[in-house]
Amino acid sequence: KKLPRRFGHFVYGTIQSGLTSGIASGIASAGYLEEGIFLRRWVSAWAVSWAVMMPLVLLAAPLIRRLTHLIAHDES
């Protein structure tokens, strides 16, 4: 069963923040590969960064969308 489109903003923000924070925390945790604790450090860092980023992304998205419309225009 799918969610109604009116929740699309939240779905997009959840996926986008999860992916972005996952990649960034993986890069930041790469130094732990040699120590064998990469996965533990990455999951911990990802959980914290996602918890912080998801609300920020959801709140910032409308502003970013408006700024984008001010800066870019349709090609005609």
Side-chain angles (χ1 to χ4, degrees), residues 29 32-42:
S29 300
Y32 294 102
L33 280 168
E34 292 176 4
E35 297 176 36
I37 57 171
F38 169 79
L39 187 60
R40 183 171 30 142
R41 295 290 299 192
W42 174 70

Side-chain angles (χ1 to χ4, degrees), residues 2-76:
K2 292 185 175 184
L3 292 172
R5 287 218 188 268
R6 69 179 181 270
F7 297 115
H9 169 75
F10 298 104
V11 173
Y12 179 88
T14 300
I15 294 169
Q16 189 273 332
S17 63
L19 181 63
T20 303
S21 61
I23 292 169
S25 60
I27 293 167
S29 300
Y32 294 102
L33 280 168
E34 292 176 4
E35 297 176 36
I37 57 171
F38 169 79
L39 187 60
R40 183 171 30 142
R41 295 290 299 192
W42 174 70
V43 169
S44 175
W46 186 22
V48 171
S49 62
W50 197 1
V52 171
M53 287 308 298
M54 189 166 64
L56 290 174
V57 166
L58 293 175
L59 292 172
L63 174 62
I64 294 169
R65 206 173 289 119
R66 276 187 240 124
L67 288 171
T68 301
H69 287 290
L70 288 172
I71 295 168
H73 64 88
D74 291 331
E75 295 182 70
S76 303

